[in-house]
Amino acid sequence: MTTNLNETFAAVQVASRELALLNDDIINQILNAVADAAIAETPFILAENEKDLARMDKNDPKYDRLKLTEERLKGIAADTRNVATLPSPLGKVLKESVRPNGMRLTKVSVPFGVIGIIYEARPNVSFDVFSLCLKSGNACILKGGSDADCSNRAIISVIHEVLRKFNINPHIVELLPADREATAALLNAVGYVDLIIPRGSSSLIHFVRENAKIPVIETGAGICHTYFDEFGDVNKGAAIIHNAKTRRVSVCNALDCAIIHEKRLTDLPMLCEKLKDSHVIIYADAQAYQALEGSYPTELLEHAKAESFGTEFLDYKMAVKTVKSFEDALGHIQENSSKHSECIVTENKERAALFTKIVDAACVYTNVSTAFTDGAQFGLGAEIGISTQKLHARGPMGLEEITSYKWVIEGDGQTRRN
């Protein structure tokens, strides 16, 4: 297994060097052809996706992530075409200077080379990663989960067919076997792979961080809070909480915990009113429970436990925490956040500015749903993930975030004397 995969890794590395010779026009033609193929091969892709769906419980929160539809494939094709319209992130002069000795220095954006992506039941990632990596000059090695293996293999076969028509080395994108041995091999592919990006649960990201011998950019795990301040607008708050919680519960920017200032507890029933329609289970602390009792359905209202806080639910579930002060809200977020997306609902501009300054997260919102933490919503095209760390990239990772740079030095025979 490992020997075979080393051969695959070597082939991808060779393909990455060939990729450097492609101009942006050819890359854009390939991306548009892949978008066309995604539409043309919709019946085939959906049939393979059905095989994966048949093995998963429909009540599993991952089911929605796994499911592809004709409409979703149209959206994926549109995102792929959108990436083709974006300016190339490569060859940008980031900095230049001429030293006193006449030596010219230029700092230029370049691809990473080979990027390994480890992800779970999200077949759309196969398209997203390919399009972003191709546009940014990176070859990619995909390691999907067994839950989505039929879907992923169908998608990569469609992409490979397009690459062959353009006489492009198909090894610029490879899908590894869905077993754990392949994950271990990828995490240890020193000398072949330049960067690993895990997309998925906190347990997956923790595993990759603990076991990779290659640089890792952490993405995905989102324990997101919305703090309804004592100066919050109840209509804005109700709309934001409902949207952030119920738009898509299985995504990393979904709301997990609403924090409310104790002075506004009488508004809590209205803030949670729309959640009833989606049958959201609320885990409320003692004060919040008392405020909701009688107005929120009994079967959907439970007493919070310690583990209710700091949990990424990925389901129609939400915790509610009552705080005595703005400082308490900041403390709760600091203690429980995964540093993904955090929001304050307030009409007090000074407090909003303080929240933005103090809260340590990739994306910090004032009076806006955390559902907007998304590369497309930020105008980046499709995204390769949401980075929750601070090294190299933070927040939605688009084209610029999956490039590095190198220094180009030009001279006329200069030599160093000291």
Side-chain angles (χ1 to χ4, degrees):
M1 169 65 78
T2 304
T3 304
N4 291 339
L5 288 187
N6 280 342
E7 290 172 4
T8 299
F9 299 154
V12 175
Q13 192 177 52
V14 169
S16 75
R17 293 196 289 271
E18 295 176 23
L19 191 51
L21 302 176
L22 296 184
N23 64 44
D24 202 42
D25 286 341
I26 293 295
I27 286 172
N28 293 339
Q29 288 177 39
I30 294 168
L31 288 171
N32 283 313
V34 166
D36 291 342
I39 299 300
E41 296 294 337
T42 292
F44 166 58
I45 294 171
L46 293 185
E48 293 302 299
N49 183 238
E50 275 299 326
K51 294 178 183 177
D52 291 327
L53 291 170
R55 297 195 303 270
M56 185 178 285
D57 181 354
K58 288 186 178 182
N59 294 317
D60 189 321
K62 288 183 182 177
Y63 189 87
D64 179 58
R65 285 180 173 179
L66 176 61
K67 187 176 178 64
L68 291 173
T69 63
E70 188 175 340
E71 203 58 37
R72 287 184 178 181
L73 284 172
K74 285 180 182 176
I76 287 167
D79 285 344
T80 304
R81 290 193 180 95
N82 185 38
V83 172
T85 69
L86 297 173
S88 172
L90 303 176
K92 287 186 176 180
V93 175
L94 306 173
K95 197 173 188 178
E96 58 184 332
S97 64
V98 178
R99 302 301 297 151
N101 66 355
M103 186 171 67
R104 178 179 293 277
L105 278 68
T106 314
K107 186 180 179 182
V108 185
S109 60
V110 297
F112 269 99
V114 177
I115 299 179
I117 310 288
I118 302 176
Y119 55 113
E120 295 172 316
R122 308 175 182 190
N124 63 295
V125 170
S126 301
F127 277 117
D128 290 349
V129 167
F130 169 75
S131 61
L132 287 169
C133 283
L134 178 65
K135 184 73 178 184
S136 59
N138 293 291
C140 54
I141 299 173
L142 308 181
K143 170 58 183 72
S146 56
D147 288 340
D149 197 47
C150 293
S151 307
N152 289 331
R153 301 220 164 269
I155 289 165
I156 298 305
S157 71
V158 169
I159 293 172
H160 278 168
E161 188 60 34
V162 171
L163 293 174
R164 290 189 190 97
K165 287 178 182 175
F166 280 84
N167 293 316
I168 303 298
N169 188 335
H171 291 300
I172 64 170
V173 53
E174 281 290 349
L175 178 66
L176 299 183
D179 54 43
R180 292 183 178 182
E181 289 82 0
T183 302
L186 180 57
L187 296 181
N188 287 275
V190 177
Y192 296 113
V193 178
D194 298 286
L195 176 68
I196 297 284
I197 302 175
R199 287 191 59 169
S201 65
S202 55
S203 59
L204 169 69
I205 292 162
H206 178 76
F207 178 82
V208 171
R209 184 176 62 239
E210 292 294 308
N211 292 279
K213 293 184 178 177
I214 294 163
V216 174
I217 294 181
E218 297 177 32
T219 74
I223 301 168
C224 304
H225 301 81
T226 292
Y227 168 52
F228 188 76
D229 184 47
E230 63 180 302
F231 304 109
D233 180 290
V234 71
N235 291 315
K236 290 178 187 176
I240 287 167
I241 288 170
H242 178 256
N243 180 254
K245 179 67 262 181
T246 67
R247 187 192 73 87
R248 282 188 72 185
V249 295
S250 62
V251 292
C252 57
N253 57 27
L255 176 61
D256 295 296
C257 179
I259 305 170
I260 186 166
H261 195 288
E262 64 179 7
K263 290 182 180 178
R264 300 301 298 274
L265 277 170
T266 55
D267 291 309
L268 189 58
M270 186 173 174
L271 290 171
C272 298
E273 179 67 27
K274 293 181 181 179
L275 300 177
K276 299 175 185 177
D277 299 336
S278 300
H279 305 287
V280 174
I281 296 172
I282 291 178
Y283 301 96
D285 65 15
Q287 287 176 275
Y289 190 97
Q290 191 175 358
L292 287 169
E293 200 170 18
S295 66
Y296 201 77
T298 305
E299 68 275 13
L300 298 175
L301 184 60
E302 298 189 18
H303 289 281
K305 299 176 182 176
E307 59 268 25
S308 302
F309 304 108
T311 293
E312 184 181 22
F313 288 109
L314 302 172
D315 201 350
Y316 289 95
K317 297 176 180 179
M318 184 183 86
V320 178
K321 172 71 175 178
T322 308
V323 292
K324 292 183 178 181
S325 66
F326 174 68
E327 289 72 25
D328 284 350
L330 293 176
H332 185 80
I333 291 171
Q334 176 65 31
E335 186 178 342
N336 295 282
S337 172
S338 65
K339 302 185 179 182
H340 189 292
S341 299
E342 305 295 352
C343 170
I344 184 172
V345 178
T346 188
E347 297 300 301
N348 184 314
K349 291 183 179 179
E350 290 179 4
R351 187 152 289 186
L354 268 177
F355 186 88
T356 302
K357 188 174 183 179
I358 295 171
V359 168
D360 183 15
C363 300
V364 184
Y365 292 85
T366 298
N367 297 328
V368 183
S369 167
T370 58
F372 284 99
T373 301
D374 176 88
Q377 296 297 318
F378 280 25
L380 305 178
E383 73 184 28
I384 208 156
I386 311 289
S387 171
T388 53
Q389 65 179 47
K390 299 178 184 179
L391 192 65
H392 179 70
R394 201 173 197 200
M397 294 176 63
L399 294 171
E400 290 183 6
E401 287 74 23
I402 49 174
T403 62
S404 184
Y405 59 81
K406 64 183 173 187
W407 289 94
V408 176
I409 303 95
E410 299 169 282
D412 190 29
Q414 288 91 337
T415 57
R416 184 169 172 175
R417 295 178 183 175
N418 59 348

